[in-house]
Amino acid sequence: ELNLTQKQGLERAHQQQTEQAVIDLCQQALQTYRQSKHPAGILVRNRNHLSGLVRTLTQAGIACRAVELDPLESRPAVLDLVQLVQALTHPGDRLAWLALLRSPLCGLRLQSIYTLCAGVTPATPLFAHLQQFVARGNDELESTERLRLLRFINALRQYQNRSGVQTFASRLQHCWQALEGPGLYPHPTDREDVEQVFRLLDELAPYGQLDL
C-alpha cells in the first residue's frame, strides 16, 4: 500500500514521462513536416490534461498555440503591452502607469515606485511627474534604476513626438521597441502574440480612437 507522498511522486513521474513523450513526438513532427506552418496538433480528453503542457513545450523551445485554453490577454508580453496601451491612451490611468513602472519595460522596485509617487496628487498626470523628477536630477534612486527610468521616459517622449505622422499601432510598435520589449520577450511565441496585438490595433483603431 502506497502512502500519499509516494503516490504523488509516482503521479509526477508519470506526468513528466508523458510530457517528454509529447515533446519527442512534436520534435519529430517539426523535423518531418518542417515546411508546414502547423506541423503538429495535440488532442486531449479535457483541458485538465493540458495542465502544464503548454509551459513545458515552450520551455523546450517548441512554439505552440493553446486554442481557447491560453487566451491572448493572459500572456505576460501581452499584459505589459496592454498596460502600455492603456497608459498612453489614458494618461490619468494611474494603475496602468504603476504597472508599467513595475513591469520589465521599466523594472523599478516597489520601494523605488513608492519614492517616486509618494505625495503625488491625483490631479497630477503621473508621466508629467516622472519627467519633472528626472529633470530635477534626484539621486533618490539607484543609478541603474535612474537609467531605466530615463530610458522609459525617452521612449514615451518618442511616441508623443510621432503623433500625427504614423498610425497608432505603428507609433506603439516603435515605443515597444524603444522600451526593448522584443529583447525582454524574445521567445517566438511572445513575438507572435505581440504582433497579433498590433494587427488587432490596426483593425480596431488605426487612428488611435481606441475603445479599451
Side-chain angles (χ1 to χ4, degrees):
E1 183 178 351
L2 295 175
N3 62 35
L4 182 59
T5 302
Q6 290 173 320
K7 184 177 180 181
Q8 289 174 338
L10 287 173
E11 288 175 350
R12 282 196 298 271
H14 177 69
Q15 182 175 347
Q16 289 170 354
Q17 290 174 355
T18 303
E19 290 177 351
Q20 186 58 52
V22 173
I23 289 172
D24 293 341
L25 289 169
C26 287
Q27 289 173 335
Q28 290 174 23
L30 288 169
Q31 287 295 321
T32 305
Y33 307 104
R34 63 180 63 187
Q35 302 303 321
S36 174
K37 187 176 180 181
H38 302 293
I42 301 173
L43 301 179
V44 295
R45 290 183 181 273
N46 60 60
R47 293 186 178 195
N48 292 336
H49 293 162
L50 282 174
S51 176
L53 183 57
V54 173
R55 183 175 295 277
T56 300
L57 289 170
T58 301
Q59 290 173 343
I62 300 173
C64 61
R65 284 263 185 240
V67 181
E68 295 183 0
L69 176 75
D70 185 23
L72 187 67
E73 65 184 8
S74 70
R75 297 167 194 169
V78 174
L79 285 170
D80 286 341
L81 181 55
V82 169
Q83 293 296 336
L84 180 61
V85 170
Q86 291 187 196
L88 293 175
T89 53
H90 294 279
D93 188 340
R94 185 157 297 195
L95 283 178
W97 283 103
L98 293 174
L100 282 177
L101 292 174
R102 184 71 177 124
S103 77
L105 297 175
C106 188
L108 299 187
R109 294 172 300 144
L110 288 174
Q111 181 60 43
S112 299
I113 293 173
Y114 178 79
T115 299
L116 273 171
C117 302
V120 182
T121 64
T124 304
L126 203 50
F127 185 54
H129 171 73
L130 295 176
Q131 293 182 87
Q132 292 168 5
F133 183 92
V134 171
R136 289 196 302 268
N138 281 295
D139 58 358
E140 297 173 63
L141 301 182
E142 293 181 356
S143 58
T144 54
E145 290 194 312
R146 283 201 304 274
L147 288 173
R148 289 187 200 128
L149 182 60
L150 185 59
R151 176 178 57 81
F152 177 78
I153 289 172
N154 286 337
L156 269 59
R157 281 175 177 160
Q158 290 178 34
Y159 168 86
Q160 293 176 335
N161 292 338
R162 292 176 182 271
S163 179
V165 178
Q166 297 171 309
T167 65
F168 174 61
S170 180
R171 290 168 61 204
L172 182 67
Q173 191 165 16
H174 278 96
C175 186
W176 178 257
Q177 291 168 348
L179 290 170
E180 301 180 3
L184 294 168
Y185 294 102
H187 195 276
T189 301
D190 293 325
R191 290 200 296 268
E192 283 185 27
D193 293 340
V194 168
E195 285 299 323
Q196 189 171 345
V197 174
F198 290 137
R199 287 194 294 270
L200 285 170
L201 289 172
D202 257 336
E203 278 182 38
L204 298 173
Y207 305 109
Q209 299 301 314
L210 179 65
D211 182 346
L212 290 172

